[in-house]
Amino acid sequence: MPLRDLAMLDDGTFDVGDAQVTDGRVVLRGWAVEHGTSVGTARLPVTLTVPNAVDVSADSVGGTGELVLDRVEVTPTTVTLVGVAPARIVVTTSVQSQALLEVGTTPIAVRRWGRWRPWSTAAPVVLDHRYAVKRLRTTACPECEHPWAEHSMDPDESLTMCSECAHEHGHGQPSTGATVCFAQVPRGLVEPRSAVLRTPPSDDRPVDRGGPATSSTGGLFRPTISSLREANAALAFGMVSTDEVSALAAELVASGHDGDALVALASLYSGAATSDAVELGQAALVEAGVRPVDLTGDDVPLLALRVASHRFLLGHWTLRTFASWVHREIGHEGPQGAQQLALVDDELDELDARGAGPGPSFRRAVERLAVDYIELTEETAHPSRS
């Protein structure tokens, strides 16, 4: 299993009750979420080992019994594992020791269609941290112009100083007027496939392929019942918020559509539970004489991918954001109709490995795939049509 730095783990979680000394070591087994794998988002096994251990004590009073690792504190005689929630494990050591974090490559579970699903095979996955390391080494901080690799990735802003800046100041070699840089490493460089779903517009010119028109829902959906069906699927998938779907319902009411469920959906309070909004959305579709979304079948991922395709074609998402989302959230185990788009991220990774970037022809080819996908899934989007 590859060793991993704590900063590269997402919520490494361990059972406090497992803390005991065996053969001079404390070994904790847990899991962490890995966003950049060949199967998308996966929950991978993690082993934490503290060597040279002579005693251990654990305290999780007021907590959940689990330690979500926040930081490791080392002294000449102790290694302390501090959790986010009330949890702490103190390992007494015979010499100054360390906490070794090893991440397995065979998932415990993978995230599919907004849910965690057991990984049914013993096949390992490919991690992509080599790309993150490459980006940190080859991308410069705009503040100090040193590579991002020189900056600490500690989430505490006071600890993010650039080591190269510190070295220059310590040796009397700073550039004229320069100060030590404390800029934070962009999360997208550390986790290249974990782009936030609501990304800012790209610099690319929007390409209109008949997607959603601008509206109070942020340009995501036209005020039609068919759009409500896609929106409800995207909400069930975790792709949009309840507020966005409620805003769409309000537009439908304003344009003359009616129904108790639709009015209730339009009247939902801000931040309402996803389950409440989905239930009202399903009822509103039935009221309108449209088949509701099959929440347990392929409807949800297929319709969510239509929304994602529109976002890409309208220029709201970059090529990399779109490809990463499809690979991570739909994946190679998703519906057959989505597989051509799921392969785009792999092709981009191959281009990265060769040091080449996608050219205009590559982007146009992906745009054609997205347009073709939208056309092929028209029946899924509009089941009431003859």
Side-chain angles (χ1 to χ4, degrees), residues 44-63:
L44 299 180
V46 180
T47 300
L48 187 154
T49 303
V50 179
N52 310 115
V54 296
D55 193 18
V56 62
S57 63
D59 179 13
S60 62
V61 176

Side-chain angles (χ1 to χ4, degrees), residues 203-226:
D203 293 332
D204 302 320
R205 173 184 291 183
V207 181
D208 193 345
R209 296 290 189 273
T214 300
S215 68
S216 63
T217 60
L220 293 178
F221 306 104
R222 293 181 184 275
T224 66
I225 293 297
S226 295

Side-chain angles (χ1 to χ4, degrees), residues 214-302:
T214 300
S215 68
S216 63
T217 60
L220 293 178
F221 306 104
R222 293 181 184 275
T224 66
I225 293 297
S226 295
S227 289
L228 179 61
R229 194 167 188 276
E230 291 190 12
N232 215 39
L235 177 62
F237 201 80
M239 189 180 181
V240 299
S241 69
T242 57
D243 292 351
E244 290 167 309
V245 178
S246 181
L248 172 59
E251 288 192 350
L252 287 168
V253 172
S255 63
H257 293 275
D258 199 6
D260 292 342
L262 185 64
V263 172
L265 180 59
S267 305
L268 271 182
Y269 59 90
S270 180
T274 297
S275 58
D276 291 342
V278 169
E279 182 178 347
L280 287 172
Q282 296 285 77
L285 292 172
V286 173
E287 285 178 340
V290 175
R291 179 168 63 83
V293 178
D294 181 358
L295 298 177
T296 61
D298 284 350
D299 275 5
V300 171
L302 288 173

Side-chain angles (χ1 to χ4, degrees), residues 201-202 204-214 218-221 307-317 363:
S202 73
D204 302 320
R205 173 184 291 183
V207 181
D208 193 345
R209 296 290 189 273
T214 300
L220 293 178
F221 306 104
V307 176
S309 296
H310 281 308
R311 281 182 168 177
F312 167 60
L313 292 169
L314 289 168
H316 296 170
W317 279 2
R363 180 185 174 89

Side-chain angles (χ1 to χ4, degrees), residues 179-211:
T179 59
V180 176
C181 177
F182 286 87
Q184 285 187 300
V185 177
R187 186 174 178 84
L189 291 179
V190 180
E191 297 177 359
R193 295 191 185 187
S194 64
V196 177
L197 291 181
R198 293 174 181 81
T199 55
S202 73
D203 293 332
D204 302 320
R205 173 184 291 183
V207 181
D208 193 345
R209 296 290 189 273

